[in-house]
Amino acid sequence: AQSVAQPEDQVNVAEGNPLTVKCTYSVSGNPYLFWYVQYPNRGLQFLLKYITGDNLVKGSYGFEAEFNKSQTSFHLKKPSALVSDSALYFCAVLASGYSTLTFGKGTMLLVSP
Amino acid sequence: GAVVSQHPSRVICKSGTSVKIECRSLDFQATTMFWYRQFPKQSLMLMATSNEGSKATYEQGVEKDKFLINHASLTLSTLTVTSAHPEDSSFYICSATDPSSNQPQHFGDGTRLSIL
């Protein structure tokens, strides 16, 4: 089985401050992990992924995520938030033997001016 | 990069009518397409997996006679909501798999379906 947990429904941060959106996962075997962003009334846009290699993954729009195997986490981070980063963020996992992504419930990020 | 086009982006119709939503892969051949339903402020719920030339695989609890899926070509899958009712109102999103891509799925922009 594969599952993803995003413990925060919403994260609030002031523009210019660092942001973190949390994600933990549960899979059998090695996980493939992803972050997507969704703007209102739009589909999902790919931000970054972890397959193997360096635990720190850099993605689009200045976002990065750190894979932590011991904590089974894959938190999304950005050093300096922008108001335009305000959106719904989804963490997803794809485990070996599975053909479909499993998404977390999503975290709404609100960046205030 | 791989682009998935979903049409229409928004549709409003009367209860009892059927609505067809199209999902096209514009610059790649998608052997597999997925249909999701998203309720307000909630995650994506996988409805079905659609493989070209074969019957779709529906997730548990999804009525296949209610949500008809056809994947007639490598670039087109359609979802038809038959005899739609207000409870079918939702945001429907399709995605497609491009084997040559470094992403597992490419998503359309979704269809906002409102049944009056």
Side-chain angles (χ1 to χ4, degrees):
Chain A
Q2 57 182 25
S3 66
V4 175
Q6 292 181 243
E8 305 152 315
D9 290 336
Q10 184 169 307
V11 170
N12 298 300
V13 63
E15 187 173 34
N17 284 356
L19 68 87
T20 298
V21 182
K22 296 179 180 177
C23 171
T24 58
Y25 65 90
S26 176
V27 299
S28 300
N30 295 321
Y32 299 159
L33 295 158
F34 307 86
W35 276 101
Y36 288 86
V37 59
Q38 184 182 31
Y39 295 98
N41 293 310
R42 300 293 298 275
L44 274 64
Q45 295 180 32
F46 172 80
L47 280 179
L48 51 80
K49 67 177 181 180
Y50 171 83
I51 303 297
T52 186
D54 290 341
N55 290 341
L56 185 63
V57 179
K58 295 187 182 297
S60 305
Y61 313 120
F63 284 93
E64 57 189 30
E66 186 168 12
F67 172 66
N68 187 316
K69 188 173 183 177
S70 63
Q71 297 185 2
T72 62
S73 67
F74 189 57
H75 302 330
L76 181 70
K77 300 181 180 184
K78 187 173 182 180
S80 179
L82 300 172
V83 173
S84 57
D85 292 330
S86 299
L88 187 59
Y89 290 80
F90 290 99
C91 182
V93 66
L94 182 66
S96 176
Y98 284 76
S99 59
T100 59
L101 291 168
T102 295
F103 289 92
K105 64 181 175 65
T107 299
M108 178 63 70
L109 173 66
L110 293 177
V111 182
S112 55
Chain B
V3 177
V4 174
S5 174
Q6 191 171 336
H7 178 81
S9 58
R10 185 178 184 94
V11 59
I12 302 171
C13 60
K14 294 181 179 180
S15 183
T17 58
S18 293
V19 179
K20 179 184 284 188
I21 302 170
E22 292 187 349
C23 181
R24 295 180 183 271
S25 57
L26 296 187
D27 51 0
F28 66 99
Q29 293 185 328
T31 54
T32 304
M33 289 185 171
F34 304 89
W35 287 96
Y36 294 87
R37 182 173 180 176
Q38 186 179 28
F39 293 98
K41 298 183 180 180
Q42 293 191 28
S43 189
L44 282 71
M45 181 191 77
L46 180 64
M47 299 174 66
T49 302
S50 168
N51 291 297
E52 185 267 335
S54 62
K55 291 184 178 180
T57 301
Y58 289 82
E59 295 298 302
Q60 191 173 9
V62 178
E63 299 177 61
K64 60 181 180 181
D65 295 330
K66 174 76 171 178
F67 299 98
L68 299 178
I69 293 173
N70 183 278
H71 194 158
S73 76
L74 285 172
T75 60
L76 174 64
S77 177
T78 61
L79 167 66
T80 301
V81 183
T82 62
S83 186
H85 292 285
E87 59 266 27
D88 299 323
S89 299
S90 195
F91 193 57
Y92 293 88
I93 304 175
C94 73
S95 69
T97 299
D98 177 5
S100 66
S101 172
N102 65 348
Q103 303 176 27
Q105 292 172 223
H106 298 271
F107 290 83
D109 272 345
T111 297
R112 174 72 60 191
L113 175 61
S114 300
I115 308 299
L116 305 178

